[in-house]
Amino acid sequence: MAELIKKAANIEPVFVEEKLLPPWKEAWISFYKNRLALAGLGIVGFFIMIAILAPIIAPYSFKEQVLTDRMLPPSSDHWFGTDDFGRDIFSRIVYGARISLWVGFFSVLGSVVFGTILGIVAGYYGRWIDSLISRIFDIMLAFPSILLAIAVVAILGPSLQNALIAIAVINIPNFGRLVRSKVLSVKQEEYIMAARAVGMKDTRILFRHILPNSISPVIVQATLAIATSIIEAAALGFLGMGAQAPTPEWGKMLADSKNYITQAPWTLFFPGIAIMLTVLGFNLMGDGLRDVLDPKMKN
């Protein structure tokens, strides 16, 4: 017994070193565990592939008119049927994916860039600059978003590019206020005060320390805003203030087919399903990113 105690006393403790994963890999593992988020990523990836491969996938040109084939129901020749000009709806939806994703991505990119810059400036410098920028945001948010977008397009003129600009403008306050609130909390951290104390320039503090620590909620909001932008682009197209004929924009396709809802319901059904699935994909993916990047959502 004494020998066993002596041997046990001579045993050195073994420490198991825990391997730390890179932040991006840990975030991907958390995202991968969310099945709904993966489904959203799959839907978004599917439409992106359709947009990239549109010339290969589409059996017809999106603007090819065959008047003898007007209002044909779905068949082996025309999977989604044809519209009132005899154009293949499947081909137009495939090419329409390019337009909707292009508007969604680039309008949100513009909103993120300008909203982030204004939010950082307002939150970091404060005082009259903060008051001025915040009041501009408040005025813009006082109007319904679609009404403000219509006003911008009415000034610039109806076109797809002007619709993109209008959607970018109306979303700037959302990102600006989000970044401003984050900057107000980050700039009170001790490492920011230390950077100021050693004489570091404001531009370096803003873009090297404050911006990287404020970007997570912006990524989540941007993903969700893409879905909103696609809906807003479709709404402007439906009202005739977005894409113009013969551009195969999904909202414009709905507007062109609204008079044939009883005669040819497939002309509205398939563009509507495309809009719904795309928006659903971005919303599911955005919810998954929020769960991963928001510390409050982590268990």
Side-chain angles (χ1 to χ4, degrees), residues 31 44 49 54 68 77 100 121 144-145 179 216 236 241 244 294:
F31 185 87
V44 172
M49 289 300 299
T68 56
D77 293 330
S100 294
V121 171
S145 59
V179 173
S216 294
L236 291 174
M241 305 192 74
Q244 303 298 306
D294 189 353

Side-chain angles (χ1 to χ4, degrees), residues 106-241:
F106 284 96
S107 63
V108 170
L109 179 62
S111 301
V112 168
V113 171
F114 288 100
T116 299
I117 292 174
L118 292 174
I120 286 179
V121 171
Y124 185 76
Y125 291 103
R127 298 183 180 179
W128 66 270
I129 297 178
D130 184 17
S131 299
L132 177 61
I133 294 176
S134 297
R135 296 300 77 77
I136 294 174
F137 288 164
D138 291 339
I139 293 172
M140 295 177 67
L141 292 172
F143 295 92
S145 59
I146 189 63
L147 182 60
L148 185 59
I150 291 173
V152 174
V153 174
I155 295 172
L156 300 177
S159 70
L160 184 63
Q161 290 77 11
N162 292 339
L164 187 152
I165 294 172
I167 295 170
V169 168
I170 64 176
N171 286 318
I172 286 176
N174 298 325
F175 290 98
R177 295 183 70 179
L178 179 65
V179 173
R180 173 185 174 274
S181 63
K182 189 67 177 177
V183 171
L184 287 174
S185 61
V186 172
K187 75 174 186 178
Q188 302 299 329
E189 298 291 339
E190 294 181 357
Y191 63 90
I192 300 296
M193 296 181 181
R196 288 177 179 172
V198 298
M200 187 178 292
K201 294 183 179 179
D202 288 345
T203 53
R204 188 176 181 185
I205 294 175
L206 287 173
F207 292 101
R208 185 166 183 174
H209 297 291
I210 291 182
L211 181 59
N213 289 284
S214 306
I215 203 67
S216 294
V218 175
I219 295 174
V220 176
Q221 181 64 26
T223 306
L224 298 173
I226 292 175
T228 305
S229 298
I230 291 174
I231 294 177
E232 290 167 345
L236 291 174
F238 186 84
L239 295 173
M241 305 192 74

